[in-house]
Amino acid sequence: MPPNILFIMADDHAAHAVSAYGSKINSTPHIDRIAAGGMLLENCFCTNSLCAPSRATILTGTYNHVNRVQTLATEFDNRQLVYPQLLREVGYQTALVGKWHLGHGPSHDPRGFDYWEVVPGQGRYRDPVFIGMDGTETVRPGYCTNIISDLAVDWLDRRDPERPFCLLVHHKAPHRNWEPDDKHRDMYVDDDIPVPHTFTDDHSGHAAAARAARMRVDRDLTTNDVKALLPPHLDADEAALWNYQRYIKDYLRCVASVDDNVGRLLDYLDEHGLTDDTIVVYTSDQGFFLGDHGWYDKRFMYEESLRMPFLIRYPAEIAPGSSCAALAMNVDFAQTFLDFAGVPADERMQGRSLRPLLNGQDVEDWRQSVYYRYWEHDDSEHHVWAHYGVRTHDHKLVFYYADGMGLPGTSSSREAPEWELFDLKADPWELRSVYDDPAYAEVRATLLEELARVQQECGDRPWTPPGQDTTAQDEAGPIRRDGDGMDQRRDG
């Protein structure tokens, strides 16, 4: 029988808040169990550091210009083929519980699943509403992270033990506004969490886009985020530290609940003799700034936002306690799971199976760069400018084209285009762009060529100034017009 798949995904859980990744601020013993029994990917990245676009990429194995979920306001067209549907067609039992965040209604609800129960939108931490397959909305008393695991366990208990399963467990936590459960409410109450190395970054070494963003710990956290009014008589530095401690402690408390519930699911596999036959993955939909560069939130192509945790365990094939430094992406996940299941990937999928890397093979023709594009230009809350770029093992090139291109959820404002180049070996904190440094002229030229190459490879269209391209700016990529390349099959 092919392996079971248990895919656990948190929301906004940064890799540097996982102790297996060397976190200095908290411990995640149950998530670390996956790494201890399997492999940790050191360099796993998202193609767009935003919840809905990343989720669409994971499900479809395509970049956002293909699946068309480019912003939070562009809902998922569920005619598109998703990997659980392919698994279901060969006999897998498929289920999804928790956060969906890709729209609701007949055109946007999950497809390819025997069972799903999801929260509307972001959902809420306490007494959350869940939407069932028949459209019924149910308030479930309790704490969302626990309830999602309860639903997962209930479904596992009801499954057919003679058939493989693919279960997606999508937690809301630790998405803002960070409401801990009662068990972890008093964690860190007497502690001071260390601030990150770049906490006081003034962005003088960055493009103007970094200075324009509105997500600073010292001024842009709200009372909903920190749950209290700022005490009077604090100077600016004291206020920044006070905000940071309030925010980061609640964030880590939410992570602790996720970690406990990962332990529950791992224990279930052990107790029911499923561990050896089940692929277990823990990841997040993207990274997150934990005060890094003075920020919370994500969106930028800087490391803390771009990088995803990815820990995977499968005793039949993956050596325990192993790691891999190859460049992996969320666009690879769908093809990886299909490969393990022995199911051919759909021709539309754009990733590559990670299975050879997970088996410890040295793949000579593996990618040497990753491509990223953030489309939600200058949204009303965070004001992060649209950009794309390429990251290699040693360098990162970023282009802020700062144009919403008429996409939903974007601003009509435009800013002067700007470039950044970072030497990730000499400047791992990304504090100083060297794009205009003559010493990096050759590196810059090489990366510009690589950026053009990967855009052509994945079918994305480089930005051109309005009026200089005969193609409409909102046509972001070569989408087939015969139904937009969507799969027309419907579930029975």
Side-chain angles (χ1 to χ4, degrees), residues 31 65 90 100 136 145 152 155 169 179 196 200 274 292 318-319 325 359 367 441 445 458 461 487 490:
I31 296 170
H65 63 278
V90 297
W100 172 242
T136 301
T145 306
W155 183 81
V169 181
E179 296 179 19
T200 58
L274 295 168
D292 311 279
I318 301 174
N359 287 336
R367 70 168 66 94
C458 73
R461 179 174 298 142
D487 179 72
R490 290 289 175 179

Side-chain angles (χ1 to χ4, degrees), residues 449-476:
E449 291 178 1
E450 180 64 5
L451 176 60
R453 187 195 69 78
V454 296
Q455 284 187 316
Q456 182 177 27
E457 180 180 73
C458 73
D460 197 11
R461 179 174 298 142
W463 176 85
T464 54
Q468 293 189 19
D469 188 357
T470 57
T471 305
Q473 285 290 307
D474 65 348
E475 289 297 323

Side-chain angles (χ1 to χ4, degrees), residues 93-406:
Q93 302 162 92
T94 59
L96 163 67
V97 293
K99 184 173 178 179
W100 172 242
H101 200 45
L102 288 167
H104 290 293
S107 298
H108 310 297
D109 283 337
R111 280 187 59 224
F113 296 95
D114 296 301
Y115 163 76
W116 56 264
E117 189 163 351
V118 297
V119 297
Q122 296 289 357
R124 61 193 188 208
Y125 276 102
R126 297 187 182 278
D127 300 335
V129 174
F130 279 81
I131 301 174
M133 296 180 70
D134 62 357
T136 301
E137 296 189 3
T138 303
V139 176
R140 293 189 174 274
Y143 188 69
C144 191
T145 306
N146 299 332
I147 294 168
I148 289 169
S149 293
D150 292 341
L151 293 172
V153 168
D154 288 346
W155 183 81
L156 287 170
D157 283 338
R158 300 195 310 271
R159 81 191 192 287
D160 179 356
E162 301 302 317
R163 296 165 54 205
F165 66 81
C166 175
L167 171 59
L168 279 57
V169 181
H170 289 185
H171 287 295
K172 168 190 170 55
H175 194 280
R176 67 185 302 183
N177 50 356
W178 312 298
E179 296 179 19
D181 63 2
D182 292 340
K183 176 181 177 181
H184 301 98
R185 180 180 52 198
D186 296 325
M187 283 184 71
Y188 309 110
V189 68
D190 296 320
D191 300 327
D192 282 333
I193 308 298
V195 298
H197 178 80
T198 58
F199 184 70
T200 58
D201 183 9
D202 64 2
H203 305 290
S204 58
H206 298 144
R211 295 185 289 279
R214 306 262 177 86
M215 52 190 194
R216 289 198 63 88
V217 170
D218 57 356
R219 64 169 186 256
D220 295 323
L221 284 167
T222 70
T223 52
N224 286 333
D225 295 324
V226 298
K227 320 292 191 309
L229 294 173
L230 186 71
H233 312 306
L234 298 181
D235 63 27
D237 291 341
E238 291 169 335
L241 289 172
W242 185 90
N243 274 335
Y244 171 75
Q245 293 297 331
R246 296 282 305 191
Y247 139 63
I248 195 64
K249 288 179 182 180
D250 275 349
Y251 177 94
L252 295 178
R253 291 161 181 156
C254 292
V255 168
S257 179
V258 172
D259 187 69
D260 279 358
N261 280 278
V262 169
R264 286 182 60 194
L265 293 177
L266 296 180
D267 290 346
Y268 183 97
L269 297 180
D270 290 344
E271 292 162 5
H272 291 79
L274 295 168
T275 297
D276 290 344
D277 301 319
T278 302
I279 296 169
V280 180
V281 168
Y282 182 82
T283 189
S284 177
D285 47 4
Q286 68 266 315
F288 205 74
F289 294 110
L290 305 177
D292 311 279
H293 300 288
W295 289 330
Y296 66 93
D297 213 77
K298 56 256 186 180
R299 300 167 186 265
F300 276 101
M301 196 182 167
Y302 299 130
E303 288 294 283
E304 297 85 1
S305 170
L306 176 68
R307 185 182 300 277
M308 306 168 67
F310 189 94
L311 309 96
I312 180 168
R313 187 185 74 182
Y314 181 39
E317 291 195 26
I318 301 174
S322 56
S323 63
C324 178
L327 300 176
M329 304 173 68
N330 58 350
V331 75
D332 299 326
F333 295 0
Q335 288 180 242
T336 301
F337 299 141
L338 293 172
D339 189 2
F340 274 112
V343 178
D346 185 77
E347 62 179 9
R348 192 167 182 252
M349 292 178 174
Q350 297 177 287
R352 188 170 177 181
S353 173
L354 300 168
R355 188 177 184 182
L357 300 176
L358 301 175
N359 287 336
Q361 299 178 35
D362 183 12
V363 183
E364 291 185 1
D365 65 344
W366 194 257
R367 70 168 66 94
Q368 297 302 307
S369 69
V370 297
Y371 178 60
Y372 178 89
R373 187 161 187 171
Y374 174 79
W375 303 79
E376 193 164 296
H377 172 63
D378 199 24
D379 73 295
S380 59
E381 183 176 0
H382 302 91
H383 300 278
V384 176
W385 297 351
H387 58 285
Y388 55 67
V390 64
R391 185 204 191 276
T392 67
H393 283 283
D394 296 336
H395 297 94
K396 182 183 296 179
L397 180 71
V398 186
F399 177 52
Y400 296 95
Y401 60 93
D403 182 351
M405 297 167 52

Side-chain angles (χ1 to χ4, degrees), residues 13-82:
H13 189 186
H16 56 303
V18 177
S19 47
Y21 280 90
S23 176
K24 306 299 184 186
I25 56 176
N26 73 322
S27 176
T28 50
H30 297 295
I31 296 170
D32 294 357
R33 286 168 59 186
I34 302 172
M39 178 176 282
L40 177 150
L41 296 188
E42 299 172 7
N43 290 305
C44 185
F45 302 104
C46 60
T47 60
N48 183 345
S49 186
L50 205 56
C51 298
S54 180
R55 291 162 190 272
T57 290
I58 289 169
L59 285 166
T60 64
T62 62
Y63 289 86
N64 296 131
H65 63 278
V66 173
N67 61 55
R68 311 301 278 180
V69 183
Q70 293 145 301
T71 71
L72 295 178
T74 49
E75 295 181 317
F76 184 69
D77 186 330
N78 66 10
R79 291 177 297 164
Q80 298 181 79
L81 193 66
V82 295

